[in-house]
Amino acid sequence: MLEPLDAIITVAMICLGLYFYMDKKYSYWKDRDVPYLKPEFFYGNSRTMTRTEQTGQMFARFYEELKGEDHPFGGAYVFTRPYFHDRGTYYNEKYDPLSAHMFNLSGPKWKNLRHKLSPTFTSGKMKMMFSTIIAAGKQFRDFLDEKVSQESEFELKDLLARYTTDVIGTCAFGLECNSMRDPDAQFRVIGRKIFGNPRGMVKGFLIATMPRFAQFIGVKEILPEVSEFFFKVVRETVDYRVKNNVKRNDFMDLLIQMRNPDETKSDDGLLSFNEIAAQAFVFYLAGFETSSTLLTWTLYELALNQDIQEKGRQHVREVLSKYNREITYESVTAMKYLDQILQESLRKYPPVPIHFREVAKDYQVPETKTVLTAGTRVFIPVLGIHHDPDIFPDPERFDPDRFSPEQEAKRNPYAWTPFGEGPRICIGMRFGMMQARIALGYLLHSFKFSIGEKCQVPLQMDEKSFVLSPKGGLWLKVEKI
């Protein structure tokens, strides 16, 4: 046993060693002549794990603080790890197989999977799935019609999430979720669990600073009950379709076509069962929450800007008058002003406020001495760029005319990137915009939205959610037209 003095000296030496270790870590950007944000001991520049600030807003603040520097990028620290701002995405194929989906994968495996899945999201495939989305849109409109006759002000964020859940459940799994009329339907309950359970501080620390160690010890991001639910649903869907030779021209069909007869293996472009389940999971994950959040913010802004709401409504009526007053694939595609409304909403409130990338090979940044070495994780502060007044003047103003063809031609094409850009641009972008456009067309044609007594203006961001989501939902007054 150590004597008291020896114990004190040992602790002092450990503390001193830790101090020098941290000091060395936090000199990374200074040693490379890159402007950086002064780090806080242990946390670096991020207190993300304490959830005191919404993640996207935090990095938008970083962007603003570094913007004045005479350098094309800046550095920051998450805990002790240096980043050009943030980390890459974590997955654990062995212990958490649903996390090994296309959004997280990298390298040849991602490239091959992307190539195989891209045909699902062509305009032709969108047209095939259109009638399914229309059915969900009509059901949503009819449900609101009933609800308006009973009450004039209600919460819309959850209703919109139920609509997108029904769309995704049907298009991805061929299942009637019925969450619009049953808020406790399984798919909706699972959705709440996915986005309502932020990771703990210890888990977040391991994933952010030691991802390989986290993989080795089996750290999982997906709740066990969520994994069990999706594996069960995918297994039942695959077995039923294969046994009965069912074809639906949807996402699941394409996955089944790539299914390896030996479901434990993945080779020759074929997918194991775990890989099929992971892709179905991310389609659900990415499809319902981001689209419902987009519609939530859109209705909020239209309630605040009645002139824009009315202009959108007249546009819908004008287009429908040319198509026998029916919402068809052609009529919805012609509703260009609705696209501008949605695009402006995506500018002001990008559901995914940060994009992650990893450098594939050493890259000399033009006009600097800095080399981005292979493996460096880079982040693009989408929310910060979308609110930069040098790019979008008066950024807090909601103005769909920013996305007229004339205005878009004047801007850098990478100024607006809610879906990402380049090879990893969101594969489901067309699908997401289609289901949002259909819902908005039905809603503007049939209802008027205004700020109710329960709606807080301005809406506050939910700091516990990575997706840019309003805290406390969206309470609006809804009137039938």
Side-chain angles (χ1 to χ4, degrees):
M1 180 177 290
L2 292 174
E3 295 294 328
L5 181 59
D6 292 335
I8 292 173
I9 292 173
T10 300
V11 172
M13 291 298 289
I14 292 173
C15 290
L16 191 62
L18 180 62
Y19 171 80
F20 282 115
Y21 169 79
M22 299 288 275
D23 186 61
K24 179 64 177 176
K25 282 283 188 180
Y26 289 145
S27 68
Y28 182 92
W29 295 120
K30 183 179 179 181
D31 293 346
R32 288 160 175 76
D33 293 323
V34 173
Y36 64 96
L37 300 169
K38 186 178 179 180
E40 178 183 351
F41 185 80
F42 180 71
Y43 283 104
N45 300 109
S46 169
R47 281 189 175 270
T48 315
M49 303 310 160
T50 61
R51 297 292 177 183
T52 57
E53 185 177 18
Q54 203 280 332
T55 308
Q57 290 180 307
M58 179 182 71
F59 282 99
R61 176 168 53 81
F62 289 175
Y63 171 79
E64 184 64 29
E65 291 176 17
L66 288 165
K67 185 183 167 188
E69 301 287 347
D70 187 22
H71 204 277
F73 59 88
Y77 297 89
V78 175
F79 294 112
T80 61
R81 192 173 180 178
Y83 286 81
F84 280 85
H85 280 312
D86 202 8
R87 61 182 177 80
T89 51
Y90 171 85
Y91 66 96
N92 193 325
E93 194 166 6
K94 181 178 180 180
Y95 296 103
D96 199 11
L98 282 190
S99 68
H101 49 67
M102 189 167 53
F103 183 83
N104 287 340
L105 291 174
S106 59
K109 196 164 190 176
W110 164 80
K111 188 175 182 180
N112 179 58
L113 192 61
R114 173 85 184 203
H115 175 72
K116 291 290 185 181
L117 294 181
S118 291
T120 308
F121 298 97
T122 61
S123 56
K125 291 287 187 177
M126 292 301 99
K127 196 168 185 178
M128 287 180 183
M129 289 189 263
F130 185 81
S131 60
T132 301
I133 307 174
I134 282 290
K138 288 179 179 177
Q139 186 182 44
F140 185 26
R141 179 200 60 194
D142 294 344
F143 181 80
L144 270 189
D145 201 11
E146 294 174 19
K147 199 166 180 64
V148 167
S149 66
Q150 300 166 3
E151 50 191 315
S152 60
E153 183 181 352
F154 42 86
E155 204 282 305
L156 279 159
K157 183 178 182 295
D158 184 63
L159 292 181
L160 291 164
R162 286 194 244 165
Y163 159 71
T164 54
T165 296
D166 285 351
V167 170
I168 298 297
T170 306
C171 290
F173 302 95
L175 300 176
E176 297 297 330
C177 301
N178 297 316
S179 61
M180 182 55 64
R181 296 191 177 276
D182 179 9
D184 294 321
Q186 276 190 301
F187 267 91
R188 185 67 195 111
V189 171
I190 289 295
R192 292 193 193 100
K193 287 186 177 182
I194 293 172
F195 289 95
N197 291 276
R199 70 164 71 111
M201 183 176 179
V202 175
K203 183 186 290 186
F205 172 77
L206 289 173
I207 287 172
T209 61
M210 295 178 281
R212 290 185 180 178
F213 178 68
Q215 287 177 333
F216 176 74
I217 64 174
V219 171
K220 300 178 182 180
E221 282 210 286
I222 301 171
L223 293 172
E225 56 265 39
V226 172
S227 288
E228 290 171 10
F229 173 80
F230 275 97
F231 274 120
K232 180 176 181 291
V233 169
V234 173
R235 168 52 68 198
E236 291 175 352
T237 303
V238 170
D239 287 351
Y240 178 80
R241 292 197 186 188
V242 170
K243 181 180 178 180
N244 297 282
N245 195 30
V246 174
K247 302 291 183 183
R248 290 178 53 96
N249 292 314
D250 59 10
F251 186 67
M252 186 59 72
D253 265 6
L254 195 64
L255 291 177
I256 291 173
Q257 289 170 24
M258 290 185 284
R259 169 177 162 268
N260 195 324
D262 182 350
E263 292 187 337
T264 63
K265 294 182 179 180
S266 172
D267 52 31
D268 298 325
L270 300 178
L271 303 179
S272 69
F273 175 75
N274 281 359
E275 289 173 323
I276 288 176
Q279 309 327 310
F281 171 72
V282 76
F283 186 64
Y284 170 82
L285 186 73
F288 96 85
E289 181 71 8
T290 53
S291 294
S292 64
T293 301
L294 163 60
L295 287 166
T296 298
W297 288 117
T298 300
L299 291 184
Y300 170 65
E301 285 290 349
L302 293 180
L304 288 172
N305 299 276
Q306 290 291 321
D307 55 334
I308 296 175
Q309 182 180 158
E310 186 57 32
K311 184 177 178 180
R313 182 174 295 111
Q314 292 305 321
H315 176 70
V316 170
R317 289 175 175 172
E318 180 183 338
V319 171
L320 290 181
S321 68
K322 301 174 183 177
Y323 292 88
N324 296 321
R325 301 191 179 280
E326 293 182 4
I327 291 187
T328 63
Y329 182 83
E330 290 72 23
S331 66
V332 169
T333 304
M335 294 177 184
K336 302 300 183 184
Y337 189 66
L338 291 197
D339 270 352
Q340 290 180 217
I341 291 174
L342 292 168
Q343 287 170 316
E344 173 65 347
S345 186
L346 286 167
R347 177 200 68 82
K348 196 170 178 183
Y349 311 99
V352 179
I354 309 164
H355 293 319
F356 310 102
R357 294 293 185 268
E358 186 169 287
V359 179
K361 59 183 179 180
D362 290 359
Y363 175 72
Q364 173 80 48
V365 180
E367 300 180 12
T368 75
K369 297 178 180 179
T370 305
V371 174
L372 301 182
T373 55
T376 300
R377 276 129 183 181
V378 180
F379 104 90
I380 297 90
V382 181
L383 182 64
I385 294 171
H386 283 191
H387 284 255
D388 188 333
D390 293 336
I391 302 172
F392 297 99
D394 193 8
E396 295 307 313
R397 181 168 58 92
F398 188 80
D399 181 13
D401 289 337
R402 297 182 200 271
F403 292 91
S404 66
E406 297 77 19
Q407 290 300 316
E408 284 195 294
K410 297 177 183 178
R411 269 195 311 271
N412 187 302
Y414 298 103
W416 183 82
T417 59
F419 296 101
E421 194 48 80
R424 296 197 72 132
I425 192 170
C426 176
I427 194 173
M429 177 176 65
R430 282 194 186 97
F431 185 92
M433 288 297 286
M434 178 65 76
Q435 68 171 336
R437 199 186 303 124
I438 288 171
L440 188 57
Y442 272 121
L443 293 175
L444 287 181
H445 187 262
S446 302
F447 306 98
K448 179 182 178 181
F449 301 89
S450 54
I451 299 297
E453 295 179 3
K454 297 180 180 180
C455 184
Q456 183 183 13
V457 180
L459 285 178
Q460 300 300 307
M461 299 292 182
D462 184 354
E463 67 277 2
K464 295 180 180 179
S465 172
F466 175 77
V467 173
L468 213 61
S469 180
K471 194 172 185 176
L474 174 66
W475 290 82
L476 292 182
K477 183 180 179 182
V478 185
E479 302 171 72
K480 186 179 178 180
I481 296 175

